[in-house]
């Protein structure tokens, strides 16, 4: 079920409110919480809305769903995007956890929430259609927290959480903008994102705006 919003701001705000709800619930229960957020441009307004939200961010650990293997000060860095759009205002005190195999043990799992975007080729995180190891990254029994990948679709080597890691969350939000991506979403059969749409392990919210 796709939740359609009139504006990208409204969809971003709804996503931020959902993330806030799950964070506060976990913080009340465990005094700690974690989220994973995607890179790219779609999450920016949502992250800015979260940054402006007064919650105990010092108890929150934040990681990425995937990262381009570039320096953090490179414009292509997802960590850099995160630091510009989330780690400000109230959220300055949150802790960033870089993606590596050890992060799985450093984070309070399951995630309170995972925020994913989607490329117009149907990739999410860095699980791209052309990956030879795509099915391995999507396999429910894959015990690796993350994996390094290289794809012709990206000029950078990347590291991505596996689908099994992304599903270790109380909820997954898929935040998608534009008519082209809506068409991709409506015809996702055979694309990596279809694995996310078809899984029944973790509640999924799809938020879309033109
Ligand atoms: C990345 C992202 C990736 C992103 C899609 C959509 O590192 O590129 O994590 O999975 O979500 O490529 O990107 P946009 O939001 O910029 O369209």
């Amino acid at each position: 079920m796709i939740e359609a919003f009139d504006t990208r701001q409204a969809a971003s705000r709804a996503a931020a409110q959902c993330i806030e709800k799950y964070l506060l619930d976990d913080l009340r229960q465990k005094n700690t919480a974690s989220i994973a957020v995607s890179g790219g441009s779609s999450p920016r307004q949502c992250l800015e809305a979260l940054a402006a939200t007064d919650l105990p961010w010092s108890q929150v650990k934040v990681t990425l769903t995937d990262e381009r293997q570039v320096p953090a000060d490179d414009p292509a860095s997802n960590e850099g995007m995160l630091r510009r759009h989330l780690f400000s205002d109230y959220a300055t005190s949150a802790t960033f956890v870089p993606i590596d195999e050890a992060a799985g043990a450093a984070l309070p799992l399951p995630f309170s929430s995972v925020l994913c975007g989607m490329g117009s080729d149907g990739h999410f995180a860095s699980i791209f259609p052309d990956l030879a190891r795509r099915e391995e990254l999507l396999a429910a029994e894959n015990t690796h927290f993350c994996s390094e990948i290289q794809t012709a679709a990206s000029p950078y080597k990347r590291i991505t959480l596996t689908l099994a890691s992304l599903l270790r969350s109380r909820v997954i939000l898929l935040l998608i903008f534009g008519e082209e991506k809506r068409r991709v979403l409506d015809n996702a059969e055979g694309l990596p994102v279809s694995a996310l749409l078809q899984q029944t392990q973790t509640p999924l919210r799809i938020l879309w705006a033109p």
Side-chain angles (χ1 to χ4, degrees):
M1 176 65 185
I2 298 173
E3 299 170 59
F5 293 83
D6 292 336
T7 66
R8 298 184 179 190
Q9 186 178 30
S12 300
R13 191 176 298 123
Q17 287 166 350
C18 183
I19 294 168
E20 177 194 1
K21 183 184 86 171
Y22 279 89
L23 274 175
L24 286 174
D25 189 43
D26 276 350
L27 289 167
R28 268 193 294 272
Q29 292 184 49
K30 304 186 295 183
N31 292 317
T32 185
S34 63
I35 59 175
V37 298
S38 83
S41 57
S42 300
R44 292 175 186 170
Q45 286 182 304
C46 173
L47 297 179
E48 288 166 1
L50 281 171
T53 304
D54 185 2
L55 58 85
W57 283 103
S58 62
Q59 297 169 284
V60 177
K61 293 188 176 179
V62 183
T63 193
L64 288 159
T65 62
D66 59 322
E67 178 60 288
R68 299 88 178 270
Q69 304 218 23
V70 295
D73 61 359
D74 187 303
S77 165
N78 286 338
E79 177 186 347
M81 185 279 291
L82 203 57
R83 292 191 182 283
R84 286 190 297 277
H85 296 280
L86 178 61
F87 287 82
S88 64
D89 205 342
Y90 288 106
T92 304
S93 61
T95 301
F96 175 67
V97 178
I99 307 177
D100 59 32
E101 202 55 38
L107 290 159
L109 294 178
F111 293 112
S112 299
S113 61
V114 168
L115 175 65
C116 284
M118 184 192 74
S120 52
D121 60 358
H123 82 264
F124 65 101
S126 284
I127 304 175
F128 285 83
D130 68 341
L131 290 181
R133 296 169 44 232
R134 167 176 145 177
E135 293 315 310
E136 175 194 325
L137 294 173
L138 295 174
E141 62 277 3
N142 187 331
T143 56
H144 291 287
F145 182 68
C146 57
S147 183
E148 290 191 356
I149 65 104
Q150 197 144 13
T151 167
S154 171
Y156 322 100
K157 283 180 73 172
R158 290 165 168 251
I159 188 165
T160 184
L161 295 194
T162 59
L163 175 59
S165 297
L166 292 167
L167 294 181
R168 292 176 66 187
S169 183
R170 297 182 59 197
V171 66
I172 294 185
L173 305 176
L174 188 56
L175 184 61
I176 296 177
F177 298 144
E179 299 298 346
E180 180 189 17
K181 288 187 182 180
R182 179 64 192 260
R183 285 191 294 276
V184 171
L185 198 60
D186 292 340
N187 301 280
E189 189 63 36
L191 299 175
V193 73
S194 64
L196 188 58
L197 302 176
Q198 291 166 7
Q199 62 78 30
T200 55
Q201 175 184 329
T202 304
L204 172 68
R205 284 188 64 183
I206 306 171
L207 304 96
W208 175 80

